Amino acid sequence: MGQKTNPIGARLGIIRGWDSNWYAHKKDFGKKLVEDNKIRNYLNARINKGGISKIVIERTLNKLIVTIHTSKPGIIIGKGGGEVDRIKEELKKLTGNTDVQINILEIRRPELDANIVADTIARQLENRINYKRAIKMSIASALRMGAEGIKVKVGGRLGGAEIARSEEIKQGRTPLHTLRMDIDYANVFALTVYGKIGIKVWICKGEVLAKRDLNPNILAGGTGKEGGERNFDNRGGDRDHRGGGRDDRRGGGGGDRRGGGGGGNRGGGGGGRR
């Protein structure tokens, strides 16, 4: 049952912060919560191809601050910031709040963001690209950008098959129960012509050992250990040390069975046999 816990919810207050930051009285709490959900649904539908990772909502006494984390800020900003102004006016009508502020944060490494990776796979499945190819490309790009591990699970009528099934492909490590591991998680649907396909992505970005600031606007697309170099290939070392002088059985320092101590082939330095 431990595998069923949402990896983000399990880490809230430990290494992750909340996506909604505000305080409300018991009477207003439900209303504001529903409003947050409306804002997120509206922005995700309005900016369909904007590469949105998450939307952070903060409220002060009379002000609503919406921060959009995106890999394509140019699409949201528009020419001369015109698109942002239109979105701001639409949010004012939706919420009834006259003071709305929109911030846009660019995600530098979208390959390490679970929402963007899942959304990319979903768009490829909708364009009838083979699901295995789409998943393997996403896994390769995430590992290349420094992820410690990635797991992708897809379920539904894969490849247009008659019977729905689920498949999971993973590489590296994703320890979901280790709370200090920075694991990003996303669940996205692909609306294909033969039905809905669900896509789940887990990305392990490394261990968080220091105390982390829980403000979600600070952690835009970073990994657990920023800029840390890791050597993946330290397994072999120098393998030639084992043999000593046994490079060539017919010669070299050890000689041949038929050759002597300083050994050449068939006639060693120390009196080999003819």
Side-chain angles (χ1 to χ4, degrees):
M1 288 303 291
Q3 295 292 328
K4 307 292 184 294
T5 304
N6 188 311
I8 292 173
R11 287 164 177 77
L12 282 177
I14 301 166
I15 60 164
R16 282 189 76 109
W18 286 259
D19 286 353
S20 289
N21 291 323
W22 43 264
Y23 174 80
H25 196 269
K26 199 174 2 178
K27 297 185 294 190
D28 304 326
F29 186 86
K31 184 181 146 205
K32 288 186 177 177
L33 191 66
V34 169
E35 196 176 276
D36 279 9
N37 194 40
K38 272 186 191 170
I39 290 169
R40 288 199 174 93
N41 288 339
Y42 174 74
L43 288 175
N44 281 317
R46 170 80 165 73
I47 314 161
N48 193 16
K49 294 179 181 173
I52 292 177
S53 162
K54 65 180 173 183
I55 296 161
V56 179
I57 298 170
E58 295 167 282
R59 294 172 192 267
T60 56
L61 197 59
N62 296 313
K63 196 172 189 179
L64 176 69
I65 303 164
V66 179
T67 307
I68 303 171
H69 292 243
T70 174
S71 59
K72 299 171 185 173
I75 291 174
I76 300 171
I77 294 165
K79 278 188 181 177
E83 191 68 21
V84 171
D85 294 336
R86 276 194 289 275
I87 292 169
K88 191 187 286 186
E89 292 304 317
E90 288 158 11
L91 285 182
K92 281 179 185 176
K93 284 180 189 170
L94 184 73
T95 59
N97 195 328
T98 52
D99 196 358
V100 176
Q101 181 185 327
I102 294 179
N103 300 328
I104 293 164
L105 279 182
E106 183 182 3
I107 292 172
R108 301 280 178 190
R109 288 183 278 182
E111 296 88 355
L112 295 177
D113 192 283
N115 266 300
I116 294 172
V117 169
D119 200 52
T120 305
I121 294 170
R123 297 291 85 78
Q124 287 176 311
L125 293 184
E126 285 171 3
N127 293 329
R128 302 199 179 193
I129 288 173
N130 182 278
Y131 72 95
K132 278 189 179 173
R133 187 180 172 207
I135 291 169
K136 282 177 181 174
M137 280 164 61
S138 296
I139 287 174
S141 60
L143 292 174
R144 196 166 53 242
M145 290 302 289
E148 286 204 0
I150 177 170
K151 179 165 75 169
V152 180
K153 188 173 185 178
V154 288
R157 291 182 59 189
L158 301 175
E162 287 292 318
I163 294 174
R165 66 186 194 277
S166 65
E167 273 198 38
E168 188 180 284
I169 300 174
K170 56 185 175 182
Q171 216 166 319
R173 65 195 196 115
T174 50
L176 301 181
H177 291 184
T178 310
L179 292 180
R180 65 177 177 271
M181 273 293 176
D182 187 7
I183 289 182
D184 200 6
Y185 169 75
N187 185 7
V188 171
F189 294 106
L191 301 171
T192 65
V193 289
Y194 38 79
K196 233 180 199 183
I197 290 180
I199 301 148
K200 290 181 179 178
V201 176
W202 295 259
I203 297 177
C204 176
K205 301 180 187 176
E207 219 164 351
V208 180
L209 298 172
K211 187 168 172 58
R212 177 180 263 187
D213 193 327
L214 298 183
N215 183 351
N217 290 333
I218 289 171
L219 313 169
T223 58
K225 11 183 184 176
E226 283 289 332
E229 282 187 17
R230 288 180 294 140
N231 184 11
F232 287 97
D233 201 5
N234 56 358
R235 297 162 297 188
D238 185 9
R239 294 192 176 187
D240 291 338
H241 70 279
R242 296 174 305 183
R246 283 187 342 201
D247 278 330
D248 185 358
R249 287 185 183 174
R250 294 178 298 177
D256 183 49
R257 289 176 191 169
R258 292 172 292 182
N265 186 15
R266 293 194 184 183
R273 198 175 65 196
R274 284 185 184 178

